[in-house]
Amino acid sequence: EGKGRSGGGGWRCPPRRRAGSRPQAAVRFGLSASLLYLWCQERRLPHYRVGGRGKRGRVLIEASDLEAFLAAQRVEPAAVREEGLRFIKT
């Protein structure tokens, strides 16, 4: 469990802390699977590629990585200066 093909020492698969496939992550976070695919393809979003590319392979995304990525994309509202506001009389 959690070991590579060698069964002994060597490379170990990272623990799946709520790691899910792109479609699972998309549903959980209200995003499209194609957007997650694009972010993974552009290497903007950390992910694990298990198996080969295409239908035989899977891309797994940890929820914590996606949460951190989305938090970094947050845009804060700009401060509004009151003296700059103008009221239009109707």
Side-chain angles (χ1 to χ4, degrees):
E1 179 179 313
K3 296 180 182 176
R5 286 186 174 206
S6 64
W11 185 81
R12 288 179 163 257
C13 181
R16 291 183 65 194
R17 292 169 283 162
R18 296 191 211 147
S21 65
R22 280 189 318 257
Q24 291 168 338
V27 168
R28 181 171 179 192
F29 287 89
L31 301 167
S32 71
S34 61
L35 180 59
L36 292 180
Y37 177 79
L38 178 66
W39 288 342
C40 290
Q41 186 179 28
E42 293 174 344
R43 297 183 176 264
R44 294 174 62 195
L45 178 63
H47 61 282
Y48 300 101
R49 184 172 297 281
V50 181
R53 292 188 174 265
K55 292 186 178 184
R56 295 193 176 252
R58 291 187 71 186
V59 172
L60 301 176
I61 301 169
E62 288 189 21
S64 59
D65 286 337
L66 185 51
E67 288 168 354
F69 178 79
L70 292 174
Q73 305 306 308
R74 182 181 171 103
V75 177
E76 296 293 333
V80 178
R81 299 181 313 176
E82 288 190 29
E83 69 268 4
L85 296 178
R86 296 186 185 152
F87 297 96
I88 300 174
K89 294 182 182 179
T90 56

XYZ file of all heavy atoms in Angstrom:
705
model
N 0.846 -1.184 0.000
C 0.000 0.000 0.000
C 0.878 1.229 0.000
O 1.745 1.387 0.844
C -0.902 -0.025 1.225
C -1.785 1.207 1.292
C -2.702 1.167 2.506
O -3.324 0.146 2.769
O -2.738 2.173 3.184
N 0.668 2.115 -0.966
C 1.429 3.342 -1.035
C 2.830 3.161 -1.560
O 3.626 4.061 -1.487
N 3.167 1.957 -2.049
C 4.501 1.714 -2.552
C 4.460 1.608 -4.067
O 3.453 1.261 -4.650
C 5.066 0.426 -1.977
C 5.249 0.489 -0.485
C 5.808 -0.799 0.041
C 5.928 -0.720 1.547
N 6.361 -1.955 2.129
N 5.589 1.886 -4.679
C 5.679 1.748 -6.123
C 5.683 0.290 -6.528
O 5.502 -0.612 -5.722
N 5.935 0.020 -7.791
C 5.910 -1.349 -8.308
C 6.960 -2.238 -7.674
O 6.810 -3.439 -7.619
C 6.114 -1.348 -9.815
C 4.909 -0.893 -10.539
C 5.136 -1.061 -12.006
N 3.899 -0.737 -12.678
C 3.548 -1.203 -13.834
N 4.346 -2.008 -14.472
N 2.413 -0.870 -14.372
N 8.047 -1.669 -7.209
C 9.120 -2.485 -6.659
C 8.684 -3.223 -5.402
O 9.246 -4.241 -5.057
C 10.343 -1.613 -6.347
O 10.029 -0.679 -5.339
N 7.667 -2.733 -4.707
C 7.170 -3.393 -3.516
C 8.041 -3.152 -2.303
O 7.557 -3.129 -1.192
N 9.329 -2.962 -2.491
C 10.233 -2.702 -1.382
C 10.462 -1.217 -1.233
O 9.594 -0.414 -1.494
N 11.679 -0.849 -0.844
C 12.027 0.559 -0.680
C 11.836 1.314 -1.981
O 10.975 0.988 -2.762
N 12.633 2.286 -2.236
C 12.515 3.039 -3.480
C 11.400 4.073 -3.436
O 11.021 4.551 -2.385
N 10.879 4.375 -4.592
C 9.885 5.431 -4.727
C 8.574 5.053 -4.070
O 8.093 3.945 -4.200
C 9.646 5.725 -6.204
C 8.740 6.880 -6.419
C 9.090 8.186 -6.378
C 7.350 6.844 -6.719
N 7.998 8.973 -6.616
C 6.908 8.172 -6.833
C 6.423 5.832 -6.875
C 5.598 8.500 -7.111
C 5.117 6.173 -7.152
C 4.717 7.496 -7.262
N 7.992 5.994 -3.352
C 6.693 5.776 -2.720
C 5.705 6.772 -3.290
O 6.018 7.938 -3.458
C 6.760 5.972 -1.214
C 7.484 4.883 -0.501
C 7.519 5.184 0.985
N 7.837 3.979 1.693
C 6.939 3.254 2.352
N 5.697 3.617 2.406
N 7.309 2.162 2.970
N 4.527 6.304 -3.547
C 3.452 7.160 -4.026
C 3.038 8.084 -2.894
O 2.908 7.653 -1.755
C 2.265 6.306 -4.469
S 0.892 7.257 -5.103
N 2.852 9.383 -3.167
C 2.425 10.287 -2.093
C 1.043 9.896 -1.584
O 0.241 9.346 -2.334
C 2.398 11.659 -2.766
C 2.400 11.399 -4.206
C 2.993 10.037 -4.431
N 0.768 10.142 -0.319
C -0.553 9.795 0.210
C -1.638 10.597 -0.495
O -1.434 11.739 -0.862
C -0.452 10.173 1.691
C 0.652 11.152 1.774
C 1.601 10.812 0.662
N -2.786 9.976 -0.699
C -3.892 10.640 -1.388
C -4.743 11.395 -0.381
O -5.774 10.931 0.049
C -4.731 9.626 -2.139
C -3.992 9.043 -3.308
C -4.851 8.111 -4.078
N -5.958 8.852 -4.664
C -7.027 8.295 -5.180
N -7.154 7.006 -5.183
N -7.978 9.026 -5.696
N -4.278 12.558 0.020
C -5.036 13.386 0.946
C -6.151 14.060 0.180
O -5.991 15.143 -0.343
C -4.131 14.427 1.591
C -3.110 13.809 2.533
C -2.102 14.814 2.933
N -1.187 14.955 1.790
C -0.373 15.964 1.602
N -0.327 16.936 2.435
N 0.409 16.005 0.548
N -7.249 13.362 0.073
C -8.411 13.843 -0.649
C -8.089 14.136 -2.105
O -8.646 15.042 -2.694
C -8.991 15.099 0.000
C -9.528 14.862 1.381
C -10.306 16.070 1.796
N -10.211 16.213 3.234
C -10.195 17.354 3.854
N -10.250 18.466 3.203
N -10.133 17.413 5.153
N -7.153 13.415 -2.673
C -6.843 13.594 -4.084
C -7.972 12.993 -4.892
O -8.492 11.937 -4.567
C -5.518 12.931 -4.438
N -8.373 13.685 -5.927
C -9.433 13.185 -6.778
C -9.105 13.440 -8.227
O -8.158 14.158 -8.556
N -9.894 12.868 -9.090
C -9.698 13.090 -10.522
C -10.184 14.489 -10.882
O -10.844 15.156 -10.093
C -10.470 12.041 -11.312
O -11.865 12.210 -11.096
N -9.879 14.916 -12.087
C -10.326 16.247 -12.529
C -11.841 16.386 -12.450
O -12.325 17.378 -11.919
C -9.835 16.534 -13.946
C -8.411 16.980 -14.011
C -8.064 17.442 -15.411
N -8.608 16.571 -16.428
C -7.906 15.677 -17.105
N -6.640 15.547 -16.888
N -8.483 14.936 -18.014
N -12.605 15.424 -12.963
C -14.060 15.585 -12.862
C -14.553 15.658 -11.416
O -15.445 16.441 -11.097
C -14.619 14.348 -13.566
C -13.537 13.928 -14.505
C -12.259 14.266 -13.799
N -13.952 14.869 -10.517
C -14.350 14.915 -9.111
C -14.026 16.274 -8.500
O -14.829 16.845 -7.772
C -13.649 13.809 -8.327
C -14.121 12.420 -8.672
C -13.220 11.347 -8.099
O -12.047 11.593 -7.799
N -13.762 10.150 -7.957
N -12.835 16.784 -8.784
C -12.435 18.088 -8.252
C -13.306 19.194 -8.833
O -13.664 20.142 -8.136
C -10.962 18.353 -8.562
N -13.655 19.074 -10.110
C -14.490 20.085 -10.753
C -15.855 20.170 -10.074
O -16.346 21.258 -9.770
C -14.656 19.767 -12.238
N -16.455 19.027 -9.813
C -17.765 19.003 -9.149
C -17.655 19.573 -7.746
O -18.473 20.395 -7.330
C -18.329 17.560 -9.124
C -19.523 17.453 -8.209
C -18.687 17.114 -10.532
N -16.627 19.163 -7.025
C -16.471 19.594 -5.631
C -16.293 21.101 -5.510
O -16.792 21.722 -4.579
C -15.269 18.883 -5.023
C -15.048 19.237 -3.597
C -13.998 18.377 -2.962
N -13.843 18.802 -1.590
C -12.870 18.438 -0.820
N -11.974 17.613 -1.265
N -12.784 18.868 0.409
N -15.581 21.717 -6.461
C -15.283 23.146 -6.371
C -16.116 23.992 -7.321
O -15.901 25.196 -7.427
C -13.786 23.387 -6.615
C -12.931 22.951 -5.462
C -12.446 21.667 -5.381
C -12.643 23.829 -4.429
C -11.670 21.254 -4.316
C -11.867 23.432 -3.359
C -11.384 22.134 -3.296
N -17.047 23.390 -8.039
C -17.903 24.155 -8.935
C -17.186 24.710 -10.147
O -17.516 25.793 -10.623
N -16.207 23.986 -10.645
C -15.441 24.401 -11.818
C -15.685 23.404 -12.939
O -16.176 22.304 -12.716
C -13.945 24.432 -11.482
C -13.527 25.355 -10.341
C -12.107 25.054 -9.924
C -13.683 26.807 -10.743
N -15.302 23.772 -14.143
C -15.429 22.822 -15.247
C -14.182 21.946 -15.299
O -13.068 22.392 -14.994
C -15.609 23.556 -16.577
O -14.412 24.194 -16.964
N -14.373 20.694 -15.686
C -13.250 19.769 -15.812
C -12.278 20.256 -16.884
O -11.071 20.080 -16.760
C -13.748 18.362 -16.134
N -12.808 20.905 -17.931
C -11.923 21.393 -18.996
C -11.023 22.521 -18.501
O -9.876 22.641 -18.932
C -12.730 21.829 -20.216
O -13.603 22.880 -19.884
N -11.513 23.348 -17.577
C -10.678 24.411 -17.013
C -9.559 23.803 -16.170
O -8.403 24.225 -16.272
C -11.524 25.365 -16.168
C -10.775 26.531 -15.528
C -10.096 27.394 -16.587
C -11.723 27.359 -14.684
N -9.886 22.803 -15.370
C -8.850 22.125 -14.584
C -7.840 21.450 -15.503
O -6.636 21.461 -15.233
C -9.482 21.097 -13.644
C -10.326 21.667 -12.510
C -10.898 20.545 -11.664
C -9.537 22.625 -11.657
N -8.313 20.861 -16.598
C -7.415 20.233 -17.564
C -6.442 21.274 -18.127
O -5.244 21.039 -18.226
C -8.221 19.594 -18.693
C -7.345 18.986 -19.759
C -6.753 17.743 -19.565
C -7.084 19.660 -20.946
C -5.938 17.184 -20.528
C -6.267 19.114 -21.913
C -5.688 17.869 -21.697
O -4.879 17.330 -22.648
N -6.965 22.449 -18.467
C -6.126 23.516 -19.009
C -5.071 23.940 -18.000
O -3.892 24.077 -18.336
C -6.995 24.707 -19.414
C -6.261 25.927 -19.952
C -5.585 25.613 -21.279
C -7.214 27.095 -20.100
N -5.471 24.143 -16.741
C -4.517 24.548 -15.710
C -3.443 23.485 -15.506
O -2.281 23.817 -15.299
C -5.229 24.834 -14.399
C -6.033 26.104 -14.402
C -5.923 27.155 -15.266
C -7.076 26.448 -13.500
N -6.831 28.124 -14.950
C -7.549 27.724 -13.874
C -7.662 25.811 -12.422
C -8.573 28.370 -13.189
C -8.682 26.455 -11.738
C -9.131 27.718 -12.117
N -3.820 22.207 -15.563
C -2.829 21.132 -15.431
C -1.914 21.097 -16.651
O -0.698 20.934 -16.526
C -3.529 19.793 -15.256
S -4.351 19.591 -13.666
N -2.496 21.261 -17.819
C -1.713 21.231 -19.061
C -0.703 22.373 -19.076
O 0.426 22.206 -19.522
C -2.653 21.336 -20.251
C -1.977 21.184 -21.587
C -2.976 21.281 -22.732
O -4.013 21.930 -22.627
N -2.667 20.623 -23.823
N -1.108 23.540 -18.567
C -0.209 24.704 -18.500
C 0.744 24.623 -17.309
O 1.556 25.517 -17.119
C -1.036 25.989 -18.402
C -1.830 26.296 -19.638
C -2.747 27.498 -19.472
O -2.995 27.927 -18.316
O -3.213 28.019 -20.491
N 0.622 23.570 -16.496
C 1.432 23.360 -15.298
C 1.264 24.494 -14.287
O 2.180 24.829 -13.539
C 2.902 23.150 -15.642
C 3.130 21.906 -16.462
C 4.611 21.693 -16.722
N 4.825 20.458 -17.424
C 5.149 19.315 -16.840
N 5.270 19.257 -15.542
N 5.341 18.234 -17.550
N 0.089 25.065 -14.246
C -0.215 26.104 -13.261
C -0.741 25.492 -11.972
O -0.592 26.070 -10.908
C -1.262 27.067 -13.827
C -0.754 27.871 -15.013
C -1.828 28.707 -15.638
N -2.352 29.680 -14.698
C -3.481 30.343 -14.878
N -4.206 30.145 -15.959
N -3.903 31.206 -13.983
N -1.384 24.336 -12.075
C -1.998 23.661 -10.933
C -1.221 22.393 -10.613
O -1.051 21.538 -11.491
C -3.456 23.318 -11.267
C -4.251 22.559 -10.223
C -4.385 23.385 -8.948
C -5.633 22.225 -10.764
N -0.718 22.237 -9.377
C -0.011 21.009 -9.021
C -0.940 19.801 -9.157
O -2.113 19.870 -8.787
C 0.380 21.227 -7.550
C 0.302 22.688 -7.333
C -0.754 23.190 -8.271
N -0.412 18.717 -9.690
C -1.216 17.516 -9.883
C -0.293 16.307 -9.997
O 0.915 16.451 -10.128
C -2.090 17.632 -11.138
C -1.322 17.801 -12.408
N -0.777 19.005 -12.791
C -0.980 16.917 -13.372
C -0.155 18.865 -13.945
N -0.248 17.599 -14.322
N -0.889 15.124 -9.935
C -0.167 13.871 -10.127
C -0.681 13.244 -11.411
O -1.882 13.153 -11.630
C -0.424 12.895 -8.971
C -0.003 13.437 -7.626
C -0.944 13.946 -6.748
C 1.332 13.426 -7.241
C -0.567 14.446 -5.517
C 1.716 13.923 -6.014
C 0.766 14.432 -5.151
O 1.140 14.925 -3.929
N 0.224 12.807 -12.266
C -0.162 12.071 -13.468
C 0.184 10.607 -13.215
O 1.339 10.250 -13.037
C 0.573 12.585 -14.696
C 0.123 11.891 -15.970
C 0.710 12.532 -17.193
N 0.289 13.902 -17.383
C -0.884 14.285 -17.891
N -1.766 13.378 -18.243
N -1.175 15.539 -18.054
N -0.853 9.779 -13.156
C -0.689 8.369 -12.844
C -0.996 7.574 -14.099
O -2.028 7.776 -14.735
C -1.641 7.951 -11.703
C -1.454 6.495 -11.357
C -1.426 8.830 -10.483
N -0.122 6.669 -14.470
C -0.315 5.903 -15.689
C 0.122 6.728 -16.889
O 0.868 7.680 -16.771
N -0.369 6.374 -18.037
C 0.004 7.079 -19.259
C -0.913 8.248 -19.549
O -1.820 8.569 -18.794
N -0.661 8.869 -20.656
C -1.529 9.958 -21.098
C -2.739 9.363 -21.800
O -2.720 8.250 -22.271
C -0.785 10.880 -22.056
C 0.317 11.638 -21.377
C 0.909 12.681 -22.320
N 1.870 13.493 -21.623
C 1.593 14.664 -21.068
N 0.387 15.148 -21.135
N 2.534 15.345 -20.463
N -3.796 10.115 -21.885
C -4.982 9.642 -22.589
C -5.899 8.832 -21.698
O -5.921 9.000 -20.491
N -6.637 7.920 -22.309
C -7.665 7.169 -21.590
C -7.110 6.253 -20.510
O -7.793 5.930 -19.558
C -8.511 6.362 -22.570
C -9.355 7.226 -23.453
C -10.274 6.403 -24.304
C -11.131 7.333 -25.151
N -12.110 6.613 -25.933
N -5.881 5.810 -20.655
C -5.318 4.886 -19.667
C -4.733 5.600 -18.459
O -4.505 4.987 -17.437
C -4.259 4.006 -20.305
C -4.847 3.107 -21.343
C -3.846 2.040 -21.724
N -4.474 1.142 -22.650
C -4.826 -0.083 -22.343
N -4.601 -0.544 -21.146
N -5.410 -0.849 -23.231
N -4.457 6.869 -18.568
C -3.862 7.615 -17.469
C -4.901 8.414 -16.700
O -6.019 8.619 -17.155
N -4.516 8.829 -15.512
C -5.389 9.662 -14.695
C -4.592 10.829 -14.166
O -3.394 10.717 -13.905
C -5.935 8.883 -13.510
C -6.917 7.804 -13.908
C -7.542 7.191 -12.696
N -8.451 8.164 -12.085
C -9.055 7.968 -10.941
N -8.856 6.877 -10.258
N -9.870 8.887 -10.453
N -5.257 11.933 -13.973
C -4.671 13.097 -13.334
C -5.374 13.264 -12.003
O -6.598 13.337 -11.951
C -4.829 14.359 -14.206
C -4.402 15.596 -13.440
C -4.029 14.219 -15.485
N -4.604 13.276 -10.921
C -5.157 13.438 -9.585
C -4.763 14.796 -9.037
O -3.621 15.227 -9.189
C -4.650 12.329 -8.661
C -4.971 10.903 -9.093
C -4.326 9.909 -8.136
C -6.468 10.690 -9.171
N -5.711 15.440 -8.395
C -5.501 16.782 -7.847
C -5.850 16.736 -6.366
O -6.932 16.276 -5.998
C -6.394 17.810 -8.565
C -6.082 17.827 -10.051
C -6.221 19.189 -7.951
C -7.081 18.595 -10.881
N -4.945 17.213 -5.527
C -5.235 17.287 -4.099
C -6.099 18.503 -3.829
O -5.867 19.588 -4.377
C -3.946 17.382 -3.291
C -3.174 16.090 -3.253
C -2.027 16.136 -2.279
O -2.044 16.984 -1.370
O -1.121 15.319 -2.432
N -7.074 18.327 -2.965
C -7.984 19.426 -2.624
C -7.210 20.611 -2.054
O -7.497 21.762 -2.387
C -9.043 18.948 -1.637
N -6.194 20.338 -1.238
C -5.417 21.432 -0.633
C -4.660 22.226 -1.695
O -4.542 23.450 -1.585
C -4.449 20.888 0.415
O -3.559 19.955 -0.163
N -4.167 21.549 -2.735
C -3.474 22.249 -3.820
C -4.442 23.138 -4.601
O -4.116 24.267 -4.955
C -2.815 21.263 -4.785
C -1.572 20.617 -4.201
O -0.967 21.202 -3.280
O -1.206 19.527 -4.668
N -5.637 22.616 -4.859
C -6.623 23.395 -5.598
C -7.115 24.579 -4.769
O -7.273 25.684 -5.287
C -7.788 22.510 -6.030
C -8.852 23.155 -6.910
C -8.246 23.861 -8.118
C -9.869 22.118 -7.365
N -7.318 24.361 -3.465
C -7.731 25.460 -2.591
C -6.679 26.562 -2.568
O -7.005 27.746 -2.649
C -7.984 24.938 -1.178
C -9.242 24.110 -1.056
C -9.338 23.352 0.255
O -8.372 23.372 1.049
O -10.384 22.733 0.478
N -5.403 26.184 -2.457
C -4.317 27.167 -2.440
C -4.225 27.903 -3.770
O -4.017 29.125 -3.810
C -2.990 26.479 -2.122
N -4.393 27.170 -4.875
C -4.342 27.789 -6.194
C -5.467 28.809 -6.349
O -5.251 29.927 -6.812
C -4.442 26.720 -7.283
C -4.455 27.273 -8.673
C -3.279 27.672 -9.287
C -5.642 27.412 -9.366
C -3.286 28.191 -10.578
C -5.660 27.925 -10.648
C -4.484 28.319 -11.255
N -6.676 28.428 -5.953
C -7.812 29.337 -6.070
C -7.644 30.548 -5.159
O -7.997 31.675 -5.543
C -9.122 28.608 -5.759
C -9.529 27.555 -6.775
C -10.762 26.807 -6.285
C -9.789 28.178 -8.138
N -7.095 30.353 -3.957
C -6.867 31.476 -3.048
C -5.876 32.471 -3.648
O -6.028 33.689 -3.484
C -6.358 30.962 -1.705
N -4.884 31.958 -4.370
C -3.892 32.840 -5.007
C -4.493 33.623 -6.170
O -3.961 34.661 -6.560
C -2.699 32.018 -5.493
N -5.613 33.147 -6.712
C -6.256 33.830 -7.835
C -7.230 34.913 -7.376
O -7.775 35.650 -8.182
C -7.028 32.823 -8.706
C -6.198 31.666 -9.213
C -4.951 32.110 -9.935
O -5.003 32.924 -10.844
N -3.812 31.582 -9.528
N -7.466 35.005 -6.066
C -8.438 35.952 -5.525
C -8.040 37.386 -5.836
O -6.901 37.784 -5.669
C -8.559 35.764 -4.020
C -9.587 36.668 -3.391
C -9.640 36.439 -1.893
N -10.449 37.428 -1.261
C -11.692 37.224 -0.834
N -12.229 36.051 -0.978
N -12.364 38.189 -0.267
N -8.999 38.150 -6.282
C -8.788 39.566 -6.572
C -9.588 40.357 -5.551
O -10.807 40.202 -5.438
C -9.267 39.922 -8.005
C -9.104 41.403 -8.270
C -8.518 39.082 -9.023
N -8.889 41.174 -4.786
C -9.545 41.992 -3.770
C -10.179 43.218 -4.423
O -9.646 43.752 -5.399
C -8.530 42.440 -2.715
C -7.940 41.290 -1.920
C -8.962 40.608 -1.030
O -9.948 41.253 -0.617
O -8.773 39.416 -0.768
N -11.307 43.688 -3.882
C -11.929 44.882 -4.453
C -11.055 46.104 -4.218
O -10.349 46.196 -3.208
C -13.255 44.987 -3.699
C -13.068 44.199 -2.454
C -12.056 43.143 -2.766
N -11.100 47.013 -5.152
C -10.330 48.248 -5.032
C -11.027 49.177 -4.039
O -12.251 49.172 -3.901
C -10.219 48.930 -6.393
N -10.237 49.963 -3.348
C -10.797 50.934 -2.409
C -11.464 52.059 -3.204
O -10.939 52.533 -4.207
C -9.699 51.500 -1.522
N -12.614 52.485 -2.764
C -13.346 53.558 -3.434
C -13.161 54.835 -2.634
O -13.401 54.868 -1.430
C -14.856 53.216 -3.538
C -15.612 54.355 -4.185
C -15.045 51.927 -4.296
N -12.719 55.867 -3.316
C -12.558 57.167 -2.652
C -13.885 57.899 -2.729
O -14.457 58.041 -3.801
C -11.479 57.988 -3.335
C -10.129 57.321 -3.286
C -9.081 58.154 -3.947
N -9.589 58.613 -5.244
C -8.950 59.428 -6.052
N -7.772 59.887 -5.730
N -9.463 59.800 -7.204
N -14.354 58.371 -1.603
C -15.654 59.035 -1.573
C -15.656 60.340 -2.353
O -16.642 60.689 -2.962
C -16.094 59.263 -0.131
C -16.493 57.971 0.544
C -17.139 58.224 1.867
O -17.761 59.295 2.037
O -17.032 57.361 2.738
N -14.544 61.082 -2.330
C -14.545 62.358 -3.045
C -14.628 62.153 -4.550
O -14.975 63.066 -5.291
C -13.330 63.213 -2.683
C -12.001 62.685 -3.193
C -11.294 61.790 -2.213
O -11.836 61.479 -1.142
O -10.148 61.393 -2.536
N -14.324 60.960 -5.010
C -14.379 60.675 -6.423
C -15.774 60.296 -6.925
O -16.013 60.224 -8.117
N -16.690 60.089 -6.012
C -18.039 59.690 -6.407
C -18.857 60.919 -6.805
O -18.807 61.951 -6.165
C -18.746 58.961 -5.264
C -18.130 57.637 -4.842
C -18.907 57.081 -3.670
C -18.158 56.659 -5.980
N -19.614 60.766 -7.845
C -20.498 61.842 -8.289
C -21.904 61.306 -8.350
O -22.138 60.179 -8.783
C -20.098 62.346 -9.672
C -18.740 62.978 -9.668
C -18.451 63.593 -11.004
N -17.072 64.075 -10.983
C -16.322 64.184 -12.024
N -16.786 63.834 -13.197
N -15.109 64.636 -11.926
N -22.814 62.110 -7.917
C -24.208 61.707 -7.945
C -24.907 62.399 -9.100
O -24.712 63.592 -9.324
C -24.901 62.029 -6.612
C -24.320 61.275 -5.462
C -23.354 61.832 -4.652
C -24.722 59.969 -5.209
C -22.810 61.123 -3.586
C -24.191 59.249 -4.164
C -23.236 59.829 -3.342
N -25.694 61.643 -9.793
C -26.434 62.217 -10.927
C -27.836 62.530 -10.445
O -28.524 61.668 -9.901
C -26.474 61.211 -12.090
C -25.050 60.890 -12.539
C -27.314 61.765 -13.233
C -24.983 59.796 -13.575
N -28.249 63.765 -10.656
C -29.610 64.164 -10.256
C -30.567 63.713 -11.326
O -30.331 63.874 -12.517
C -29.707 65.668 -10.085
C -28.870 66.179 -8.932
C -29.033 67.655 -8.779
C -28.142 68.166 -7.644
N -28.260 69.596 -7.472
N -31.674 63.159 -10.898
C -32.686 62.712 -11.860
C -33.892 63.602 -11.819
O -34.177 64.318 -10.932
C -33.117 61.270 -11.556
O -33.567 61.190 -10.220
C -31.960 60.334 -11.788
